[in-house]
Amino acid sequence: METSTTEQGRAYRGQAHTRVNVGPAERKASLAGGAALALSGLWSVGRRNYLSGLAMIASGGMLLYRGQTGHCGLYEAIGVDTVHTQESGLRIEKVVTIGLPPHQVYEFWRRLENLPRFMKHLASVQVTGERTSHWKAVGPGGLSTEWDAEMMEDTPGQQISWHSVGSADIPNKGTVEFKEAPGNRGTEVRVIIDYYPPGGTAGRAAARIAHGLNAQQLEEDLKRLKQILEVGEETTARRTVE
Amino acid sequence: MRAVCWHGKQDVRVDTVPDPEIVQKGDVIVKVALTCICGSDLHLYNGYVPTMKKGDILGHEFVGEIVAAGPAVTRFRVGDRVIVPFPISCGACWYCKHELWSLCDNSNPNSWMMEHIYGDTGGGIFGYSHLYGGYAGGQAEYVRVPFADVGLEKIPDGIPYEQVVLLTDIMPTGYQAAVYCNINPGDTVAVWGCGPVGLLAMKSAKLLGAERVIGIDRFPDRLQMAHSQCQAEVLNYEEVDVAEQLQNMTGGRGPDSCIDAVGLEARGTGIEDVYDLVKQTLHLETDRASALRQLVKACRKGGTLSITGVYSGFIDKFPMGAIFAKGLTLRGGQAHVHKYLPHLVKLVAEQQIDPSSIITHRMSLEDAPEGYRTFVKKQDSCIKIALKPEHAAQKSEPASA
Ligand SMILES: [Zn+2]
Ligand SMILES: [Zn+2]
């Protein structure tokens, strides 16, 4: 499986130095991400990973504070202001080869309700119109975010792309390409997801956590998609029915 | 049920654990009739394979009877006696379709681990760490076997379990090692390691037309077995300079093919052995390479190195210059058991080969801890241990879906 992750962009230097320098969307993300970090920190400490656990609790606590007060000391110190500036995105890109023709893989993906079957961070995708859908994602600790998405491009057997619309906590867009692989190997499925988290490195971290999606998970998601399409179900080493 | 569980380095115990069930449509439950301890289980026992967890059920060599089958199973029925290959293969991916069964794309649910370490994943393996999928093993009364239609092979009537239990792994592994040698008339094949796989590789090399086989080890009883069972000429590497002796025996050419049936816990001699042992103990090098270095040095120009001993990580001081200068071919990897099973079952049925001749110890499953101790210390001329579970009478069979 070929993989790549790129992070694009960084926060611009803010001009205005008001008390509130963390934008409302990021405040929400900070709250969610902070809670998640603190939770997983506690979990780590419970598992005796004291150092990393304590570090997570500390940074989680900082995010929580930031979300609640709308003020970030760190941001102020480094001159970042996400209320007044625009931020570019975080990109996750993965590709997998699946032993079925492009139109079959496309058909499966095009029924958007199928996505949560292999994308573990998604709780549900509901089709709400010809080009619109409602997405629900779950992060660690049961934190969830929801948004509406609109399909921008739909070329049967080749490509689907979508973007979030309205007041998404973390605006995002995605593209999936289906390309015939050489030598009868099936389809190369390439997924590119861009997030526009509100503000800087901390915002990006919060976005990852709030959405529960990172490059590693997308890679595992695509492996699951491959298993479902090639084998008929997700493979498991479980011994007993749960 | 009772099962042999890993608890830590050199600590295995027979525990009572829940019976397995049919989890997916293509599963069967096999009631284990006979199971073996493998040389590669000793790598787990000695703590050289990462990602083992307390309570993991060991064992990847087992045969038995199907006692429950999932709704999608079509080739088998309850009551069939079956051979279970140690690699788990989905039968649907590109690798399975090209008979590279042990490289299956889909059967390892923890594929990300190997992808991160090795660059890509192999298939799952029964009872062989979470790196290889975290499947429960066959040193138990019952096992859940996924993809039954893909992997299993029926045991013909009249053939006892003991004659086919080694077809689950070491017989096909030895056979593949010999196949990889591309044997031509007049060829000499040298085999490092006269353990179970080495012995069966020698038998296979003869079967595939090798004129001579040479067995290399340091244990006299193993060398004796290679000589008596495989008509091999033998070398004790503690007594002679192996590369020099092999040259002498082959008119100065060197063996046409060299099989490594030793793997990462190889022992050598002299300073080089101490170097590897120290580095491995300090975790600066994961695998000891003394045998592998000898193979490279001894092999004739343009010859083949067939690597079937288990290597898991990194090796220092690997003589790449010699591989280049002598134009050697390197082949290796887990055996694609499914590919060889029908042919090997036929050879057993026709009595052309009897792998059971290398089983030296027969024990109850309950004695597994003692078996592991005996095997790891190479005590009592131990080559291969077969364990027989004592199924309790009137025991309820595992539930089917
Ligand atoms: Zn084995
Ligand atoms: Zn496969």
Side-chain angles (χ1 to χ4, degrees):
Chain A
M1 179 179 290
E2 185 191 312
T3 63
S4 72
T5 311
T6 50
E7 290 198 18
Q8 297 177 324
R10 56 200 184 90
Y12 295 105
R13 223 175 160 72
Q15 300 301 316
H17 287 271
T18 50
R19 169 83 186 142
V20 175
N21 63 354
V22 179
E26 189 191 352
R27 283 171 71 175
K28 243 177 141 177
S30 285
L31 276 169
L37 266 177
L39 269 177
S40 48
L42 280 174
W43 184 80
S44 286
V45 171
R47 307 265 302 206
R48 292 160 192 264
N49 293 324
Y50 294 109
L51 267 179
S52 62
L54 290 173
M56 272 195 269
I57 291 175
S59 51
M62 189 204 86
L63 282 171
L64 277 173
Y65 169 78
R66 215 171 60 135
Q68 271 166 0
T69 60
H71 178 78
C72 174
L74 180 64
Y75 272 14
E76 193 168 82
I78 60 172
V80 171
D81 185 338
T82 55
V83 182
H84 305 92
T85 54
Q86 188 57 44
E87 157 81 339
S88 63
L90 157 76
R91 167 166 291 192
I92 301 176
E93 178 177 348
K94 291 284 167 185
V95 55
V96 68
T97 300
I98 296 178
L100 290 177
H103 72 269
Q104 279 187 34
V105 186
Y106 163 86
E107 297 289 337
F108 186 86
W109 194 292
R110 183 61 183 79
R111 273 191 291 278
L112 300 176
E113 293 94 339
N114 280 332
L115 299 185
R117 284 178 62 187
F118 61 94
M119 298 191 116
K120 283 285 142 112
H121 74 292
L122 291 178
S124 66
V125 178
Q126 262 177 297
V127 173
T128 50
E130 201 180 311
R131 303 183 77 80
T132 55
S133 48
H134 184 74
W135 299 52
K136 251 185 225 177
V138 219
L143 293 156
S144 65
T145 47
E146 301 183 28
W147 68 95
D148 287 302
E150 183 185 14
M151 208 177 290
M152 298 185 298
E153 197 188 326
D154 177 16
T155 314
Q158 289 178 34
Q159 186 170 328
I160 303 169
S161 58
W162 66 93
H163 66 170
S164 63
V165 291
S167 58
D169 292 345
I170 301 155
N172 60 82
K173 65 174 188 180
T175 298
V176 52
E177 294 166 5
F178 310 91
K179 203 177 120 204
E180 192 168 340
N184 263 329
R185 287 170 171 86
T187 307
E188 291 171 11
V189 183
R190 181 180 306 274
V191 180
I192 302 165
I193 296 175
D194 287 308
Y195 288 118
Y196 299 90
T201 313
R204 284 206 289 273
R208 279 173 195 260
I209 290 160
H211 261 206
L213 181 65
N214 58 41
Q216 162 91 52
Q217 277 161 335
L218 182 57
E219 187 180 327
E220 289 178 52
D221 288 345
L222 291 183
K223 271 290 226 194
R224 264 190 292 275
L225 171 66
K226 181 178 162 74
Q227 288 165 9
I228 289 169
L229 289 173
E230 288 186 351
V231 178
E233 57 192 324
E234 184 187 337
T235 56
T236 177
R238 276 205 322 267
R239 294 179 56 240
T240 52
V241 182
E242 272 157 8
Chain B
M1 67 165 187
R2 302 284 281 163
V4 180
C5 297
W6 188 91
H7 281 264
K9 197 179 165 187
Q10 305 212 329
D11 182 5
V12 302
R13 303 174 201 170
V14 184
D15 294 339
T16 298
V17 300
D19 285 352
E21 298 166 320
I22 300 279
V23 176
Q24 294 189 304
K25 314 189 278 290
D27 294 350
V28 295
I29 302 295
V30 169
K31 178 182 178 184
V32 177
L34 208 57
T35 173
C36 290
I37 304 176
C38 179
S40 54
D41 288 333
L42 298 183
H43 304 320
L44 305 176
Y45 187 71
N46 288 331
Y48 287 114
V49 178
T51 74
M52 286 299 291
K53 292 183 191 163
K54 253 190 185 19
D56 283 348
I57 300 173
L58 294 166
H60 57 266
E61 302 181 349
F62 57 98
V63 286
E65 185 188 322
I66 294 176
V67 291
V73 178
T74 58
R75 282 184 58 218
F76 299 96
R77 283 190 313 220
V78 168
D80 282 346
R81 299 189 316 141
V82 289
I83 301 165
V84 185
F86 79 90
I88 300 167
S89 313
C90 77
C93 71
W94 188 89
Y95 293 91
C96 287
K97 284 180 178 164
H98 288 75
E99 299 211 304
L100 298 165
W101 302 96
S102 68
L103 299 176
C104 176
D105 255 347
N106 290 320
S107 63
N108 183 350
N110 299 331
S111 57
W112 64 273
M113 285 194 210
M114 249 193 263
E115 273 157 16
H116 282 233
I117 302 171
Y118 298 140
D120 208 335
T121 187
I125 294 179
F126 291 101
Y128 212 76
S129 85
H130 292 261
L131 191 62
Y132 284 97
Y135 288 90
Q139 289 166 16
E141 285 186 75
Y142 298 93
V143 193
R144 169 191 168 236
V145 175
F147 308 115
D149 276 344
V150 179
L152 304 188
E153 193 68 30
K154 245 178 234 178
I155 303 173
D157 291 340
I159 297 183
Y161 284 119
E162 200 168 274
Q163 275 184 27
V164 287
V165 68
L166 301 187
L167 264 50
T168 56
D169 176 0
I170 60 167
M171 181 67 232
T173 297
Y175 190 77
Q176 176 173 285
V179 168
Y180 279 3
C181 291
N182 292 321
I183 295 166
N184 288 305
D187 273 6
T188 299
V189 178
V191 180
W192 273 252
C194 299
V197 172
L199 293 172
L200 294 172
M202 287 179 236
K203 281 184 197 241
S204 302
K206 276 273 166 80
L207 212 62
L208 291 168
E211 185 160 310
R212 297 165 75 189
V213 293
I214 301 170
I216 299 151
D217 208 300
R218 67 187 169 114
F219 295 100
D221 42 2
R222 289 181 168 227
L223 291 168
Q224 177 54 38
M225 217 155 160
H227 180 68
S228 61
Q229 281 212 17
C230 314
Q231 295 81 51
E233 296 158 70
V234 295
L235 292 179
N236 186 328
Y237 68 79
E238 285 184 333
E239 289 168 4
V240 297
D241 181 318
V242 172
E244 193 186 306
Q245 196 63 28
L246 285 170
Q247 293 268 312
N248 287 342
M249 293 165 80
T250 55
R253 301 184 301 274
D256 301 282
S257 308
C258 299
I259 294 176
D260 177 343
V262 183
L264 61 90
E265 291 184 70
R267 288 308 302 267
T269 51
I271 188 74
E272 190 193 279
D273 184 45
V274 175
Y275 170 90
D276 284 323
L277 201 55
V278 168
K279 287 201 81 168
Q280 192 180 39
T281 308
L282 296 176
H283 297 287
L284 295 171
E285 172 183 50
T286 54
D287 304 356
R288 300 198 295 259
S290 27
L292 203 49
R293 293 187 197 107
Q294 275 185 5
L295 257 77
V296 174
K297 196 175 173 200
C299 194
R300 81 148 159 83
K301 289 184 284 185
T304 307
L305 310 181
S306 168
I307 296 159
T308 192
V310 173
Y311 289 92
S312 73
F314 299 100
I315 275 175
D316 290 1
K317 292 176 163 298
F318 190 65
M320 204 58 219
I323 289 179
F324 181 79
K326 294 167 77 176
L328 301 180
T329 301
L330 238 97
R331 297 198 73 181
Q334 304 281 12
H336 304 301
V337 177
H338 305 53
K339 179 176 175 174
Y340 306 111
L341 263 186
H343 181 60
L344 292 173
V345 169
K346 191 167 149 267
L347 290 182
V348 171
E350 291 168 357
Q351 298 181 333
Q352 287 200 52
I353 195 160
D354 177 11
S356 68
S357 62
I358 67 162
I359 297 174
T360 50
H361 289 62
R362 292 160 179 86
M363 298 179 169
S364 156
L365 186 76
E366 298 297 321
D367 297 325
E370 189 203 325
Y372 271 88
R373 274 193 298 275
T374 307
F375 196 15
V376 80
K377 290 180 187 151
K378 312 265 187 292
Q379 285 169 343
D380 193 22
S381 298
C382 180
I383 294 276
K384 192 71 187 175
I385 299 175
L387 304 169
K388 202 175 156 68
E390 290 158 12
H391 295 275
Q394 304 304 319
K395 184 179 179 358
S396 61
E397 308 268 274
S400 80

